[in-house]
Amino acid sequence: MEVQEIINEKNLVYQPSKLLTGAAFNFCPGCGHGTVVRLVMEVVEEMDIQSDVIGISPVGCSVLLYDFYNIDVIQAAHGRATAVATGLKRVLPDKFVFTYQGDGDLAAIGTGETIHACNRGENITVIYVNNGTYGMTGGQMAPTTIPGMKTSTSPRGRDVATMGHPLRITDIVASLDGACYVTRQAVHTPAAVRKTKRALRTAFENQKLKRGTSFVEVVCSCHSGWKMTPLQSNRWMEENMFPYYPLGDLKVMNGQT
Amino acid sequence: MKELRLMKGNEAIAEAAIRAGADAYFGYPITPQSEILEYLAEQNTEEAGGMIVLQAESEVAAINMVYGAASAGRRVMTSSSSPGISLMTEGISYLAGAELPCLIVNVARGGPGLGTIQPSQADYFQSTKGGGHGDYRLLTLAPYSVQEMADFVALGFDLAFKYRNPVLILSDGVIGQMMEKVELPPALPRRQTGEPWATTGKTPDRERNIITSLNLDALKHERHNLRLQEKYRQMEAEDTRYTTNLCHDAEYLMVAYGASARIGGKAVEMAREKGVKAGLFRPVTLFPFPSKALYDAAKNVKGILSVEMSAGQMIEDVRLATECSVPVRHFGRYGGVVHAPGEILEALLQLAADSGQPTACRKGTPLPADQAQ
Ligand SMILES: Cc1ncc(C[n+]2csc(CCOP(=O)(O)OP(=O)(O)O)c2C)c(N)n1
Ligand code: SF4
């Protein structure tokens, strides 16, 4: 069989969302961001809401979201995406607004904004990529860095006695009355990718129903920051990150799928 | 028909915001300006006319909410007082960098630090020289009456949209708290036209809109900065404002803005009664500073008294404007103390008595013995 016979329309099983501009992702090859970023646009495309959706990019590896997305995007200051989303959603209550943030952005410098936006039940979708480190600035310790994990600012490993414990902000968010849907997912296997996509769909559907804040954590690897190969980092993530950040739904309201 | 009301400066700002068709206000309580949020909350603006009013969890959140709502091309504002404005400065820099229009009100109090809740004008540098990081400017309006507090809201929104730049109303605790008769501005309709740059959802008929202050390419970013500078020059050419009183034959000029101009104006009248030909030059925009007008007004004067409730901040612009061609002295009370007309008068008379004697350009007024302790 010729290659041409295999690569043709009728054998097509997957193609990137039409809402991606085609600009090359700036992520390290094998990074979880690449998967999450495309999943968001697939969901937006499938829901056919591209003319009603506005994304908010953080400061972090995903800062250039607007290069990849053919939708309106606002770039927010480090940590402030949920406050920006609040302002926008309050004046455009019928639009879909989502933030896309890393763990340094959402759970360190932006903790206050995160908690209060979720507590007010802002009708937005928060997408939280937790890779246990500051990817963009070169792999420093994050609030989510697990005990003993070596980073450039915890070179002897995170010592909880002086550096504190990993922050499970998603658990805190789940305890807030304003949050209607809180889940923790991953994208390290095809099955996990499918689950994350379903979670994102639920999170956007909730906006349509004006239910409050939907919060989707995706535990990802940052193999560049962790100084591993992508494969090694996926294994390391399963063995070391998942025990701290167990996957699954933390809060689901009646009627959510 | 005129609508007259007796109001506090802070209330006038709030009422004017409703009438200016503001779409949203985000703020965090701080003395001496909490009445703005309280007044808006009391008016139930969202139900009455669709104006969003939200108490944020901090000034950091408030200014970023402004950033989000301004991205939709709406009339958005916040207000605070000095320490809160300090917290907002990163966000203000982003707003200026991303070229978003908004209105920010600072009812200033004495600093540094937690300082005092009493009035001050010590945020002049912060307001006019950047405050946050980067080469940006805020068009800064300085009201000196409750009437101007009301009038500068709609004006501020217009200028913010004209330049796609944040506009700052720099007031102080005196103007914010004092009650005066005010003629309420007419109620404007809510903004209907969508701004072509606004992020309201990419419809098929247009390209996607992006709000960002980031440029990874330095040369591109230099071009962006050059364009911002061009905008600031345009502000200077088209929207510099000031007033003069008794300046035509003045031998001694007082330069003062806001509450200082209010009190200083009285001292100028008292000086005239004593036979000293004094005049008041009042910058209304602090950025752009009315440098050219002041240069012209100072041509025939023997000395200038720069009066501020600060240790001497605006005086730097006064000296730059007059190119040190005239002796310029500072008179100020600060840290929350408001000067009395009598002491300003004394400083004016002293300036007149010393006329002809060279005054070192950089020298301020020495503190009187009782103040120096
Ligand atoms: C106010 C401010 N402080 C610090 C930085 C520097 N900075 C940029 S990205 C980043 C951390 C990003 O880490 P994370 O949010 O975990 O995202 P990731 O890059 O891992 O996706 C920091 C500290 C900044 N841009 N602004
Ligand atoms: S630095 Fe880490 S988080 Fe950033 S793109 Fe590379 S692998 Fe991904």
Side-chain angles (χ1 to χ4, degrees):
Chain A
M1 198 186 267
E2 294 292 312
V3 174
Q4 254 57 37
E5 291 172 48
I6 299 168
I7 305 178
N8 70 30
E9 276 290 319
K10 73 175 192 316
N11 288 337
L12 189 70
V13 288
Y14 174 79
Q15 65 179 5
S17 164
K18 291 188 195 66
L19 298 181
L20 294 173
T21 58
F25 286 180
N26 63 329
F27 308 116
C28 308
C31 172
H33 271 306
T35 310
V36 184
V37 161
R38 75 166 169 83
L39 287 181
V40 177
M41 273 314 99
E42 287 175 19
V43 168
V44 168
E45 188 179 356
E46 283 163 24
M47 290 176 71
D48 198 19
I49 55 172
Q50 55 268 41
S51 44
D52 290 317
V53 71
I54 301 109
I56 297 169
S57 81
V59 176
C61 281
S62 46
V63 63
L64 290 177
L65 225 52
Y66 52 78
D67 274 355
F68 319 135
Y69 285 176
N70 194 17
I71 60 166
D72 284 357
V73 177
I74 304 172
Q75 199 292 309
H78 195 23
R80 317 300 170 207
T82 52
V84 173
T86 298
L88 182 70
K89 184 79 183 196
R90 291 290 179 124
V91 296
L92 300 175
D94 297 324
K95 304 282 174 173
F96 294 83
V97 175
F98 71 91
T99 71
Y100 184 111
Q101 305 172 256
D103 45 323
D105 194 84
L106 179 142
I109 195 166
T111 310
E113 285 77 7
T114 304
I115 299 285
H116 285 283
C118 296
N119 192 48
R120 283 190 303 267
E122 297 298 337
N123 189 31
I124 58 174
T125 298
V126 179
I127 301 159
Y128 166 42
V129 172
N130 174 10
N131 56 21
T133 189
Y134 288 8
M136 189 192 212
T137 40
Q140 293 84 6
M141 185 175 67
T144 45
T145 299
I146 62 169
M149 185 172 168
K150 286 184 178 154
T151 71
S152 63
T153 51
S154 58
R156 287 165 294 283
R158 181 179 191 155
D159 175 5
V160 294
T162 57
M163 300 165 180
H165 300 267
L167 182 63
R168 293 187 195 90
I169 197 160
T170 306
D171 296 53
I172 300 175
V173 168
S175 75
L176 304 174
D177 291 342
C180 67
Y181 175 57
V182 183
T183 188
R184 186 183 289 122
Q185 302 293 337
V187 287
H188 63 309
T189 64
V193 170
R194 277 195 295 276
K195 274 194 179 166
T196 297
K197 186 166 168 181
R198 261 204 305 278
L200 290 169
R201 176 77 188 232
T202 305
F204 277 97
E205 295 285 355
N206 284 339
Q207 277 199 59
K208 210 182 326 187
L209 301 169
K210 300 199 188 304
R211 285 187 142 149
T213 314
S214 297
F215 191 98
V216 181
E217 173 179 348
V218 186
V219 182
C220 283
S221 67
C222 168
H223 58 88
S224 291
W226 297 358
K227 315 274 184 280
M228 298 177 195
T229 66
L231 264 182
Q232 282 169 338
S233 64
N234 267 355
R235 215 169 302 129
W236 193 89
M237 176 172 68
E238 285 181 276
E239 286 164 12
N240 300 282
M241 294 270 285
F242 289 174
Y244 269 91
Y245 304 107
L247 306 187
D249 292 336
L250 284 84
K251 187 176 193 175
V252 180
M253 278 176 32
N254 286 344
Q256 281 173 342
T257 48
Chain B
M1 204 186 68
K2 275 191 193 174
E3 251 188 286
L4 294 175
R5 240 189 259 175
L6 183 67
M7 286 183 122
K8 275 188 174 188
N10 288 336
E11 295 167 345
I13 289 237
E15 178 60 32
I18 299 170
R19 287 165 177 258
D23 293 293
Y25 169 97
F26 304 97
Y28 186 81
I30 182 170
T31 310
Q33 63 79 54
S34 296
E35 293 92 349
I36 300 179
L37 175 56
E38 287 168 350
Y39 186 97
L40 290 171
E42 181 62 36
Q43 299 299 312
N44 203 5
T45 55
E46 192 165 357
E47 258 176 44
M51 178 186 179
I52 306 292
V53 174
L54 183 63
Q55 178 169 338
E57 65 270 27
S58 69
E59 290 87 351
V60 176
I63 197 70
N64 284 287
M65 291 172 184
V66 166
Y67 184 92
S71 296
R74 301 306 173 93
R75 285 196 191 106
V76 195
M77 67 181 289
T78 183
S79 67
S80 187
S81 180
S82 312
I85 299 289
S86 292
L87 267 183
M88 288 184 187
T89 49
E90 185 204 34
I92 294 173
S93 170
Y94 269 71
L95 283 154
E99 299 190 80
L100 290 173
C102 70
L103 184 64
I104 302 159
V105 180
N106 180 3
V107 184
R109 57 190 250 181
L114 192 52
T116 169
I117 58 170
Q118 311 299 333
S120 164
Q121 294 181 318
D123 295 352
Y124 182 92
F125 284 155
Q126 186 193 49
S127 310
T128 61
K129 310 289 177 187
H133 59 286
D135 270 327
Y136 77 89
R137 301 291 186 139
L138 302 179
L139 203 154
T140 305
L141 297 164
Y144 94 135
S145 62
V146 175
Q147 186 65 53
E148 283 191 348
M149 289 287 255
D151 293 344
F152 286 1
V153 173
L155 172 67
F157 277 126
D158 284 349
L159 292 170
F161 276 88
K162 174 176 176 185
Y163 291 107
R164 278 188 66 181
N165 200 70
V167 168
L168 176 72
I169 293 182
L170 178 60
S171 180
D172 56 64
V174 176
I175 308 291
Q177 292 294 331
M178 76 184 184
M179 285 187 105
E180 265 183 341
K181 187 177 71 177
V182 53
E183 183 186 334
L184 292 176
L188 301 177
R190 178 141 285 129
R191 263 187 111 68
Q192 293 300 340
T193 52
E195 300 298 323
W197 46 263
T199 48
T200 50
K202 186 208 164 300
T203 42
D205 56 331
R206 68 159 168 84
E207 292 298 304
R208 70 191 199 275
N209 283 335
I210 296 163
I211 300 292
T212 183
S213 58
L214 175 71
N215 257 319
L216 290 175
D217 177 342
L219 280 174
K220 254 176 95 180
H221 199 54
E222 186 183 47
R223 279 200 296 281
H224 173 64
N225 265 279
L226 285 169
R227 219 165 42 70
L228 293 182
Q229 293 303 318
E230 185 53 43
K231 203 157 77 169
Y232 305 145
R233 274 193 294 277
Q234 190 191 344
M235 290 177 189
E236 207 170 326
E238 297 174 18
D239 286 295
T240 302
R241 288 162 188 255
Y242 61 93
T243 65
T244 55
N245 188 25
L246 304 172
C247 286
H248 58 287
D249 64 341
E251 293 181 345
Y252 299 95
L253 210 59
M254 177 186 301
V255 184
Y257 68 95
S260 287
R262 227 10 218 267
I263 303 160
K266 183 82 194 148
V268 164
E269 284 166 19
M270 289 156 79
R272 285 265 171 180
E273 280 163 21
K274 292 196 179 294
V276 172
K277 285 186 174 172
L280 174 68
F281 184 97
R282 175 169 77 95
V284 174
T285 50
L286 302 182
F287 181 87
F289 191 76
S291 300
K292 198 179 163 309
L294 180 56
Y295 181 84
D296 292 341
K299 266 185 186 151
N300 299 316
V301 306
K302 295 181 184 160
I304 294 179
L305 189 68
S306 178
V307 179
E308 301 173 70
M309 294 189 292
S310 83
Q313 301 193 8
M314 176 189 67
I315 190 171
E316 294 190 1
D317 284 336
V318 174
R319 282 181 174 145
L320 282 172
T322 53
E323 296 172 4
C324 291
S325 57
V326 191
V328 181
R329 280 190 194 178
H330 165 68
F331 179 79
R333 298 295 301 265
Y334 33 105
V337 179
V338 180
H339 26 230
E343 52 186 352
I344 303 178
L345 173 68
E346 226 172 87
L348 252 184
L349 297 179
Q350 189 62 47
L351 180 76
D354 294 347
S355 86
Q357 289 178 24
T359 311
C361 219
R362 243 164 255 98
K363 224 172 102 191
T365 318
L367 283 174
D370 64 331
Q371 273 176 258
Q373 285 158 11

